């Protein structure tokens, strides 16, 4: 059954919009309606900038996130409900885009992706519907995935930034790099690793000259990540949580905790990925094709185990890990689907 791509976009947008309409502002949504650490409400963009400055120096370096949050708290939740619907649809489309080729951009696959996000994203309401959580995870993940699109194209031997060279605009790729790196510790770290791997494959295996925009974008990515991690507020917050000692006993404990988080919250998704990859491995002989899902698996694991550096690992922080794992599963499915009879695809995924 072929489904027009516009129909699922509309249905998913409408459903997500209604879910947001029924989700009130809660907890931190009220906290960030005020200039940070004051009793004065945010009334204009000057207040947002002042609040971000205080927040950066006293709590956390996620400046991009809290700029988005406090701006939309200022504008109002009704507008946020509409815009976040478009952001969510963009998130699903970017998952498909990173996973497959043009033929994968079909309505039935978008529905499949929406189902995967619904069932497998940990703490769905906290990361998708809650205003503060959506800005911390959903929104910035869209920024990161969008930034990765041209790097992902390198894997297929495409230099999508060729037009930038002709127009002398390659240096401007530094600025989206900064924004993507200044989003969220786990997903931005995964972004840097992913971009670097795509660049290395293009240079070492395809033996092609890397375009200048790839270095400029990666440099911006690293710079943004560095500014986020260097925030004085990070260290104040860590001290408030009892310090952030990284002795061997602590690291071992956190490593075990990260493994348990995978087991408790992403075991079904890991099992589905494994099942799909076994089928994929037996039907696809191209070694490079076999490596792409494993690359996204690596990024997922990097996001998960990077949390050993944090004294606190909430369930919602698995968003980046789950996102890359879903992309990996979709990558396998896209390449296997064309080789397996449709009735078997329906039977297999219906049972899963």
């Amino acid at each position: 059954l072929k489904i027009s791509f516009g129909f699922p976009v509309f249905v998913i947008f409408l459903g997500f919009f209604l879910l947001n309409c029924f989700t009130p502002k809660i907890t931190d949504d009220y906290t960030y309606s005020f200039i940070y650490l004051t009793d004065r409400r945010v009334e204009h963009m000057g207040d947002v900038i002042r609040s971000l400055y205080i927040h950066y120096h006293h709590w956390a370096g996620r400046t991009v996130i809290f700029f988005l949050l406090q701006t939309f708290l200022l504008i109002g939740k009704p507008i946020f409900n509409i815009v976040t619907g478009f952001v969510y649809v963009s998130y699903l489309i970017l998952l498909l885009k990173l996973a497959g080729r043009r033929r994968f951009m079909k309505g039935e696959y978008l529905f499949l992706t929406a189902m995967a996000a619904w069932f497998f994203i940990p703490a769905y309401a906290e990361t998708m519907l809650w205003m503060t959580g959506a800005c911390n995870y959903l929104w910035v993940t869209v920024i990161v995935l969008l930034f990765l699109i041209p790097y992902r194209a390198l894997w297929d031997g495409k230099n999508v930034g060729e037009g930038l060279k002709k127009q002398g605009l390659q240096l401007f790729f530094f600025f989206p790099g900064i924004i993507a790196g200044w989003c969220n510790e786990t997903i931005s770290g995964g972004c840097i690793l992913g971009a670097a791997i795509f660049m290395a494959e293009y240079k070492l295996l395809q033996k092609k000259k890397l375009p200048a925009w790839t270095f400029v974008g990666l440099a911006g990515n690293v710079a943004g990540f560095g500014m986020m991690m260097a925030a004085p507020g990070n260290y104040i917050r860590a001290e408030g949580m009892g310090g952030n000692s990284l002795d061997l006993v602590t690291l071992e404990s956190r490593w075990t905790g990260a493994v348990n988080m995978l087991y408790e919250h992403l075991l079904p998704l890991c099992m589905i990925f494994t099942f799909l990859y076994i089928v994929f491995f037996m039907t696809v002989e191209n070694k490079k094709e076999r490596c792409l899902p494993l690359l996204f698996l690596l990024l997922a694991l990097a996001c998960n185990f990077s949390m050993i550096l944090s004294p606190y690992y909430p369930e919602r922080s698995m968003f980046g890990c789950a996102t890359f794992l879903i992309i990996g599963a979709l990558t396998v499915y896209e390449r296997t689907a064309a080789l397996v009879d449709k009735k078997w695809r329906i039977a297999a995924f219906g049972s899963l």
Side-chain angles (χ1 to χ4, degrees), residues 36-37 51-61 231-237:
Y36 197 68
L37 296 182
S51 183
L52 291 175
Y53 178 83
I54 298 171
H55 190 267
Y56 184 84
H57 286 84
H58 291 87
W59 187 249
N234 290 331
Y235 306 100
I236 295 174
R237 187 177 77 255

Side-chain angles (χ1 to χ4, degrees), residues 98 144 147-155 186-202 218 221 292 295-296 298-300 302-303 324:
L98 285 163
V144 165
F147 176 78
L148 277 177
I149 288 292
Y151 288 92
R152 165 66 179 84
L154 294 175
W155 184 273
T186 55
I187 192 72
S188 292
C191 178
I192 294 172
L193 178 60
I197 293 175
F198 286 129
M199 289 172 64
E201 189 278 334
Y202 189 79
L218 184 61
N221 217 201
L292 184 58
L295 188 157
F296 289 116
L298 173 64
L299 297 182
C303 287
F324 283 122

Side-chain angles (χ1 to χ4, degrees), residues 47-107:
D47 289 341
V48 172
I49 301 302
R50 179 186 171 194
S51 183
L52 291 175
Y53 178 83
I54 298 171
H55 190 267
Y56 184 84
H57 286 84
H58 291 87
W59 187 249
R62 297 180 178 182
T63 304
V64 172
I65 288 171
F66 291 102
F67 172 80
L68 293 170
L69 174 62
Q70 294 200 287
T71 298
F72 274 96
L73 285 169
L74 176 63
I75 295 172
K77 194 169 190 302
I79 302 299
F80 175 85
N81 293 341
I82 297 172
V83 178
T84 199
F86 287 108
V87 171
Y88 181 66
V89 172
S90 300
Y91 170 73
L92 299 178
I93 292 174
L94 286 168
L95 295 184
L96 283 175
K97 186 71 175 174
L98 285 163
R101 292 171 276 260
R102 185 179 295 274
R103 69 186 183 199
F104 203 40
M105 303 301 289
K106 298 179 180 179

